[in-house]
Amino acid sequence: MSKEVKVLVACGSGVATSTIAQEEIKEIAKNAGVKIRLMKGTISEVPTKQKDVDVVFTTANYRNPLDKPHLSVFGLVSGINKEGTRKKVAELLQKVAEE
């Protein structure tokens, strides 16, 4: 049985685009059959908050090394390559859930 995946969604302010992305990720996880627990934060909180989660999604560019799997989900907010981004999110959530 797959585990619940703890997810961090981060954006510049921790409010605007992360809220949009969070709602998309909830739907993607549900459709992929992955149970998730969501946390939100700012880009500057990522290095600290990553310790409490299994995967990190950011809506802004984040180039620093992380200990956890990371994916930029700007496409969920901008609409640019949204389906491709949705597919990558689903694949990463499923992979982490099976670990």
Side-chain angles (χ1 to χ4, degrees):
M1 183 165 149
S2 60
K3 67 175 181 177
E4 178 181 69
V5 178
K6 294 188 251 4
V7 175
L8 172 62
V9 181
C11 70
S13 68
V15 181
T17 58
S18 62
T19 301
I20 296 166
Q22 173 183 297
E23 294 307 310
E24 289 277 347
I25 291 166
K26 279 185 197 173
E27 182 186 326
I28 294 164
K30 183 179 173 186
N31 293 340
V34 177
K35 187 175 179 185
I36 62 170
R37 181 179 306 157
L38 280 163
M39 291 175 55
K40 285 197 322 185
T42 64
I43 289 292
S44 62
E45 293 173 319
V46 168
T48 305
K49 287 193 171 185
Q50 71 164 327
K51 295 174 179 76
D52 301 322
V53 299
D54 301 307
V55 64
V56 177
F57 295 113
T58 58
T59 62
N61 275 339
Y62 188 83
R63 301 204 185 285
N64 297 327
L66 291 174
D67 299 328
K68 303 293 169 76
H70 166 253
L71 182 66
S72 171
V73 293
F74 181 70
L76 299 180
V77 179
S78 70
I80 298 167
N81 193 23
K82 187 172 186 174
E83 284 311 308
T85 303
R86 288 178 64 90
K87 184 173 187 255
K88 287 180 184 174
V89 169
E91 288 169 356
L92 182 54
L93 288 173
Q94 288 169 329
K95 180 182 170 205
V96 172
E98 297 302 321
E99 288 178 350

